[in-house]
């Protein structure tokens, strides 16, 4: 994706998410496996749209309402993963400084 084609990509993703939502509505009563697969696919579409909005903030206004529809959906995880902090790095550096001070 680039700033030149992001609008086309978002348009395509929006059409696809509308289509899959219609499929989910129709398949819920018919086939549980198909419904689960469709929901998983929809979740991937939502995550992709979110990632595009983060990478290209100028399109955020185009997708914010769509993403808000899935805000309370527990089956979708679009929150960024939390970075892990390695406390040993700081401790190792502090220990090295202490050893240097002893000389």
């Amino acid at each position: 994706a680039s700033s030149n084609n992001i609008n086309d990509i978002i348009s395509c993703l929006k059409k696809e998410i509308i289509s899959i939502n219609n499929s989910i509505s129709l398949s819920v009563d018919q086939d549980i496996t198909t419904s689960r697969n469709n929901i998983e696919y929809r979740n991937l579409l939502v995550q992709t749209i979110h990632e595009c909005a983060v990478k290209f903030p100028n399109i955020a206004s185009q997708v914010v309402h769509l993403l808000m529809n899935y805000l309370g959906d527990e089956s979708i995880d679009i929150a960024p993963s939390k970075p892990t902090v390695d406390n040993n790095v700081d401790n190792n550096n502090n220990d090295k400084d202490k050893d240097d001070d002893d000389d």
Side-chain angles (χ1 to χ4, degrees), residues 45-84:
L45 291 169
V46 169
Q47 289 174 352
T48 302
I49 291 170
H50 177 259
E51 290 170 8
C52 288
V54 169
K55 188 171 180 179
F56 301 97
N58 58 321
I59 58 110
S61 63
Q62 297 174 31
V63 298
V64 69
H65 295 292
L66 177 70
L67 293 177
M68 286 179 65
N69 290 331
Y70 304 100
L71 193 58
D73 192 340
E74 293 178 1
S75 67
I76 299 175
D77 181 21
I78 58 174
S81 59
K82 295 179 182 177
T84 58

Side-chain angles (χ1 to χ4, degrees), residues 11-24:
S11 177
C12 180
L13 291 170
K14 287 166 100 176
K15 287 178 185 175
E16 190 66 19
I17 209 165
I18 290 168
S19 173
I20 200 68
N21 277 337
N22 291 336
S23 296
I24 290 169

Side-chain angles (χ1 to χ4, degrees):
S2 71
S3 57
N4 294 333
N5 66 356
I6 191 64
N7 289 324
D8 294 334
I9 291 170
I10 291 298
S11 177
C12 180
L13 291 170
K14 287 166 100 176
K15 287 178 185 175
E16 190 66 19
I17 209 165
I18 290 168
S19 173
I20 200 68
N21 277 337
N22 291 336
S23 296
I24 290 169
S25 298
L26 296 174
S27 68
V28 167
D29 295 330
Q30 297 173 359
D31 184 7
I32 293 174
T33 303
T34 301
S35 181
R36 285 182 183 164
N37 289 340
N38 287 341
I39 291 170
E40 185 175 333
Y41 179 57
R42 182 193 64 195
N43 294 350
L44 290 172
L45 291 169
V46 169
Q47 289 174 352
T48 302
I49 291 170
H50 177 259
E51 290 170 8
C52 288
V54 169
K55 188 171 180 179
F56 301 97
N58 58 321
I59 58 110
S61 63
Q62 297 174 31
V63 298
V64 69
H65 295 292
L66 177 70
L67 293 177
M68 286 179 65
N69 290 331
Y70 304 100
L71 193 58
D73 192 340
E74 293 178 1
S75 67
I76 299 175
D77 181 21
I78 58 174
S81 59
K82 295 179 182 177
T84 58
V85 177
D86 187 2
N87 291 330
N88 292 331
V89 172
D90 292 332
N91 292 339
N92 289 340
N93 288 339
N94 290 339
D95 291 342
K96 186 178 178 184
D97 291 341
K98 288 178 186 175
D99 291 341
D100 290 341
D101 291 341
D102 293 340
D103 293 334

